Amino acid sequence: MRSAPLKRSISTLFVLAAALCIGNAASAQSLNWEGQTGALITPFAYTAKSPAKGFGMPEVSFHYLSGGAYLNDAYQASVTVGFLERAEVGYTRTFVSDVNDTTPTALNHLFDEGFNTFHGKVNLIPENMGKTTWVPAISVGFVARTNVERGALALVNISTTPNPHTSTENYDFYLVGTKTISQIKHVPILLSAGVKGTNASILGIVGNAPDWEARAFGAVGFVFTPGKQTLILGAEVLQEPNQIAAKTGGPAFAGVSIPTTLTYFARFVPSGVPLNFDLGVAQIAGCIARPCTDDVGINLHARARVGIGISYRF
């Protein structure tokens, strides 16, 4: 993990957040890793702020994930626009840092290319519809990732043979429900859960799954309001397709088992500022096949990776 750049990034974002606290604007919406209104990696049923007629102001975000020696450092820049008070669309570009040559194996060349992400979401049922207090917001959405030049893992000897990249696409289609329980005094609770059909492995970071699968996801957050600021502490869970495609349209890579992704996050929203700051730890993947040794490239060393993010609405 590259601690010095990470510390500098965190320090810079804290300074920026503090500087913007003196502004006077509406509260910020929160964009996730792929530019959707959500937590860190999962979408909420809420959509980016917009009027009942027309488009809202764009929201932008920047996210950084310290992926480790093999997944490398990933940077994502997103823009999302809400419209008709019930929908949003957006685009995200993922940039990946150069290979960490301090651990030179073929595996660390698998994930050194960026890719594009397009997303959209429509709110079918607004929260508390019909003047109720219990109805959750219900939405449907999609994510499309293109030019995903992830390396295929189908090498006989991954430690000595250069691995060709394969350009492909993968997609998510999901249904999600989200409810903020505000009846609890002083500490509202946000609950979100959904299911998606996907053929992506770890949000496309590792490439494609061998086939489409239905995967569940969810998030819980506890909302604190010290002073006039907002602090959300929460956790997420995201089921992953268990296997990775050996090549585009090919079978699964033998012996691979991808675990469920867990994240723990803290979100800070300054008072009166259309900005939020996220800090999280993601449990992605460590040993994905046995025997678990670096020279054959089956330990991704990504079981506890730090990510940061900042979102701003104009």
Side-chain angles (χ1 to χ4, degrees), residues 93-137:
R93 175 63 187 176
T94 298
F95 305 90
V96 182
S97 66
D98 292 336
V99 169
N100 183 352
D101 289 326
T102 60
T103 53
T105 73
L107 183 60
N108 61 10
H109 289 273
L110 296 181
F111 314 110
D112 57 1
E113 299 289 340
F115 55 95
N116 303 310
T117 303
F118 302 88
H119 76 86
K121 185 195 307 179
V122 176
N123 178 234
L124 302 178
I125 300 176
E127 188 172 28
N128 299 330
M129 184 180 69
K131 298 182 180 181
T132 63
T133 59
W134 57 270
V135 174

Side-chain angles (χ1 to χ4, degrees), residues 66-71 285-287 293-294 298-305:
S66 173
Y70 296 138
L71 295 185
C287 182
T293 56
D294 290 343
I298 32 188
N299 191 338
L300 294 182
H301 294 286
R303 284 300 295 162
R305 310 311 307 173

Side-chain angles (χ1 to χ4, degrees), residues 197-269:
T198 182
N199 66 339
S201 179
I202 310 182
L203 302 172
I205 295 174
V206 183
N208 282 31
D211 205 349
W212 286 86
E213 293 188 41
R215 302 280 82 186
F217 61 88
V220 58
F222 299 89
V223 184
F224 302 90
T225 53
K228 294 184 178 181
Q229 321 303 318
T230 300
L231 176 66
I232 303 174
L233 302 179
E236 299 170 278
V237 58
L238 172 63
Q239 279 190 313
E240 302 288 355
N242 190 246
Q243 297 179 309
I244 302 173
K247 59 182 180 179
T248 304
F253 178 66
V256 164
S257 179
I258 301 298
T260 294
T261 300
L262 300 173
T263 69
Y264 308 92
F265 66 90
R267 169 167 291 163
F268 173 66
V269 184

Side-chain angles (χ1 to χ4, degrees), residues 139-177:
S139 295
V140 294
F142 76 90
V143 178
R145 308 173 189 88
T146 66
N147 296 329
V148 186
E149 296 187 1
R150 309 284 88 183
L153 294 179
L155 287 180
V156 175
N157 188 348
I158 198 169
S159 64
T160 61
T161 306
N163 202 4
H165 288 81
T166 176
S167 181
T168 184
E169 294 81 35
N170 50 63
Y171 308 90
D172 298 347
F173 297 94
Y174 63 86
L175 172 71
V176 60

